[in-house]
Amino acid sequence: MSSRKPIRKAVFPVAGLGTRFLPATKAIPKELLPIVDRPLIQYAVDEAREAGIEQMIFVTGRGKTALVENFDIAYELEATMKERGKDMSVLDPTRFNPGDLITVRQQVPMGLGHAVWCARSIVGDEPFAVLLPDELMVGQPGCIAQMVEAYNEVGGNLISVLEVPMEEVSSYGVIDPGESRGALTEVRGLVEKPKANVAPSNKIVSGRYILQPEVMSALDKQEKGAGGEIQLTDSMAKMIGQQPFHAVTFAGRRFDCGSKIGFVEATLTLALERPDIGAEVRKVIERLLAR
């Protein structure tokens, strides 16, 4: 076993305004919108916990306090449920020990790279994971667990990738691949939204990262990139060649819950797979489609 530092901390950039889901997100953070009966953020937190991560760092913004309250003790609710003999275990995933959930503010929306940089003092000199809750990753084991397993083997920096049809690559960041071995591919470069005819691969970057603390120094000096924002991709690209850098092809499914269609698809897919309601949901869908 190597002397690699374990991945104990995860950063969740959750300061976005959620404008694509207005008016639903006017007062409620988009990360609390439920897929059936679990908020998006809960899926991401559960995925991190499954991978052995102990400390969750939420990078929030104004109007996002409900995100933290979701993981706090709701005294009146719990007392009432207890009194009525309700099943309390449904609230278990929302419980944290003091100190295991930390929030920092991103005061100006300056991009994903800036959001990650806001967590630098809590991350310190440890490697850490980054999870974008908009990307709902469904797999057994979860995406971060698959990545931690790969990290224990190769160390360095890792990103999660998925293979898509070549005609779709222009919507995503893709990797310039080196050698491949099983689910691991060496990363020689990162290209943001390339045209299909010049894209170096069809492996798209998909919202999960394991990064070394040195990325914070790169972000510190990072100039604004695409869209006038500080891009995480630009700083990650600087680590290539200086530290091991691999992509892990995720064995599972991804739903882009930042888009309305992806959100509806995730809701229907996961509802159909639920043992408690799946059969009834199927009947409802069949009835609607028969109209």
Side-chain angles (χ1 to χ4, degrees), residues 129-233:
V130 178
L131 295 91
L132 309 187
D134 274 8
E135 308 252 354
L136 177 53
M137 309 291 262
V138 179
Q140 292 290 333
C143 187
I144 287 287
Q146 291 179 29
M147 292 177 74
V148 167
E149 192 182 329
Y151 168 81
N152 290 336
E153 192 186 321
V154 294
N157 301 279
L158 294 112
I159 48 179
S160 155
V161 294
L162 288 161
E163 294 184 28
V164 299
M166 214 60 195
E167 58 272 19
E168 288 177 27
V169 293
S170 62
S171 306
Y172 304 98
V174 303
I175 64 161
D176 179 2
E179 276 180 51
S180 271
R181 183 167 45 87
L184 273 177
T185 307
E186 208 180 313
V187 177
R188 291 191 306 212
L190 296 162
V191 188
E192 200 57 53
K193 300 183 177 171
K195 289 195 167 65
N197 59 341
V198 293
S201 75
N202 67 335
K203 289 184 161 82
I204 64 160
V205 179
S206 56
R208 299 290 184 273
Y209 313 83
I210 287 177
L211 301 171
Q212 294 300 314
E214 286 79 6
V215 78
M216 293 298 190
S217 317
L219 285 166
D220 224 5
K221 305 179 193 82
Q222 186 67 54
E223 300 291 317
K224 288 180 181 175
E229 296 184 331
I230 293 172
Q231 299 291 350
L232 183 61
T233 309

